[in-house]
Amino acid sequence: MKIGLVLEGGALRGLFTAGALDFLLDNGVSFDYIAGVSAGAGNMMNFIAGQRGRTRKVISPGKKDAYYGASQLFKTGNYLNLEKMVFEFSYKTFPYDFEAHRNSKVEHEIVVVNCSTAEAEYINGAGEDNHTLTAVKASCSVPILSLPVEMDGQDYMDGSLVDSIPYQHAFERGCDKVVIIMTKTGNETPTDYNKFKPFIKALYGKKYPKFADALLERADVYQTQREEMERLAEEGKIFILRPEMPCISKFETREEKREEFYQHGYDRMKAEYDNLCAFMKE
């Protein structure tokens, strides 16, 4: 049986996923296939390399190594400095174990959206190191807060804008069952870009018209995707782990709240561990 793992994005809410995955690393759990979206892509990379605690450091590095906020907007022109978070952290601040990643046998993909076609693309994470990091950077590139990322002659952005929870793609890759780690409670919805429609049209409408339309449709697509996910969970094909406490903001500034959300992810996975094992063995 081929078991897949799908990791939702959510910026700093990815700390919940980081806690859950650290528990799995502590207990030697692995998967045959993993798909990571946005912050989930970074979580996926560290899980595959077996670097317990690294995601926690990268997402919540402290003021000295902050990669988002007004200071980054002033220094770089972008609220979210992905070059720092993805490349500088990987090669210098919090070194990534590229060798462990290369030696992994786990099939894994990074979800991005092509700005020209507005279609989700799934980048094989087993490629050359810098190409893989570029895909992670693209998957984390949030509209308005950061710029599109050029890769292989195309511009890409956050994969969650089109395929927030890529469980269907996991099934298409041959998975019999899929474990999904969410960063939202069952009642939360993603950003509704219709609130910023004039700005979205002005910012992306001319160069990426299909992408602009996809942004405005994102909330409805997510709702449909989530309803189907819940149905498949009832059928025993999907196992869902999600927060049971109020979520932190996507760019939470309070360190104690970030730590609390990480610990909640660890504790939630610990509480559901026996159920997860049963799901994976049935």
Side-chain angles (χ1 to χ4, degrees):
M1 183 176 291
K2 185 175 182 178
I3 306 295
L5 174 66
V6 166
L7 305 176
E8 187 183 30
L12 269 73
R13 293 177 178 180
L15 284 165
F16 175 83
T17 304
L21 293 182
D22 279 353
F23 178 84
L24 295 182
L25 285 174
D26 288 345
N27 288 274
V29 178
S30 61
F31 297 85
D32 303 299
Y33 169 86
I34 308 177
V37 189
S38 194
N43 264 301
M44 175 188 73
M45 295 286 289
N46 296 317
F47 183 68
I48 286 174
Q51 288 188 266
R52 187 195 190 284
R54 184 175 183 273
T55 301
R56 184 184 189 181
K57 294 177 182 177
V58 169
I59 294 181
S60 183
K63 292 183 179 180
K64 182 175 69 73
D65 295 305
Y67 58 89
Y68 66 93
S71 63
Q72 294 304 311
L73 182 63
F74 179 76
K75 290 179 182 179
T76 69
N78 291 301
Y79 183 87
L80 184 58
N81 186 351
L82 294 175
E83 187 70 19
K84 181 175 184 176
M85 186 190 79
V86 177
F87 285 92
E88 185 177 320
F89 283 6
S90 294
Y91 287 110
K92 182 180 177 181
T93 313
F94 308 113
Y96 184 65
D97 192 341
F98 288 100
E99 183 176 0
H101 176 246
R102 294 186 209 106
N103 291 335
S104 173
K105 304 301 181 183
V106 178
E107 179 187 357
H108 58 290
E109 294 180 305
I110 301 153
V111 187
V112 297
V113 57
N114 185 310
C115 293
S116 296
T117 66
E119 296 289 334
E121 295 184 15
Y122 308 88
I123 309 301
N124 182 358
E128 186 269 332
D129 294 344
N130 271 10
H131 187 271
T132 298
L133 290 182
T134 300
V136 172
K137 180 181 176 181
S139 190
C140 294
S141 184
V142 180
I144 303 174
L145 301 182
S146 50
L147 298 172
V149 174
E150 191 276 330
M151 181 173 61
D152 302 329
Q154 296 288 325
D155 287 340
Y156 292 93
M157 292 200 83
D158 187 346
S160 69
L161 302 169
V162 174
D163 195 358
S164 297
I165 321 167
Y167 57 85
Q168 190 58 52
H169 183 73
F171 286 126
E172 291 171 0
R173 297 297 298 176
C175 292
D176 300 289
K177 290 186 174 184
V178 177
V179 176
I180 301 175
I181 301 181
M182 307 286 288
T183 58
K184 302 179 184 68
T185 65
N187 299 320
E188 287 187 281
T189 58
T191 301
D192 185 354
Y193 286 97
N194 279 287
K195 298 177 182 178
F196 316 106
K197 186 174 181 178
F199 189 62
I200 293 296
K201 287 292 187 180
L203 191 60
Y204 302 112
K206 186 174 182 180
K207 188 173 183 180
Y208 312 117
K210 293 181 180 179
F211 177 70
D213 290 341
L215 283 178
L216 300 178
E217 296 169 0
R218 191 262 182 118
D220 291 337
V221 171
Y222 183 90
Q223 181 61 26
T224 300
Q225 191 175 44
R226 188 171 65 177
E227 289 173 358
E228 175 68 6
M229 176 188 73
E230 300 288 355
R231 184 185 67 79
L232 291 171
E234 290 180 1
E235 294 180 3
K237 297 179 181 178
I238 283 177
F239 180 95
I240 304 171
L241 185 83
R242 53 165 54 104
E244 289 188 341
M245 64 175 283
C247 292
I248 60 174
S249 70
K250 291 181 179 179
F251 294 99
E252 179 61 64
T253 58
R254 295 166 295 179
E255 184 176 357
E256 69 276 12
K257 291 296 183 182
R258 299 196 299 263
E259 286 298 303
E260 182 182 18
F261 207 54
Y262 165 85
Q263 189 61 47
H264 182 56
Y266 192 95
D267 293 342
R268 284 285 296 124
M269 183 59 82
K270 182 178 181 180
E272 293 293 332
Y273 182 60
D274 288 344
N275 292 331
L276 174 66
C277 291
F279 171 83
M280 294 175 69
K281 292 177 181 178
E282 288 176 355

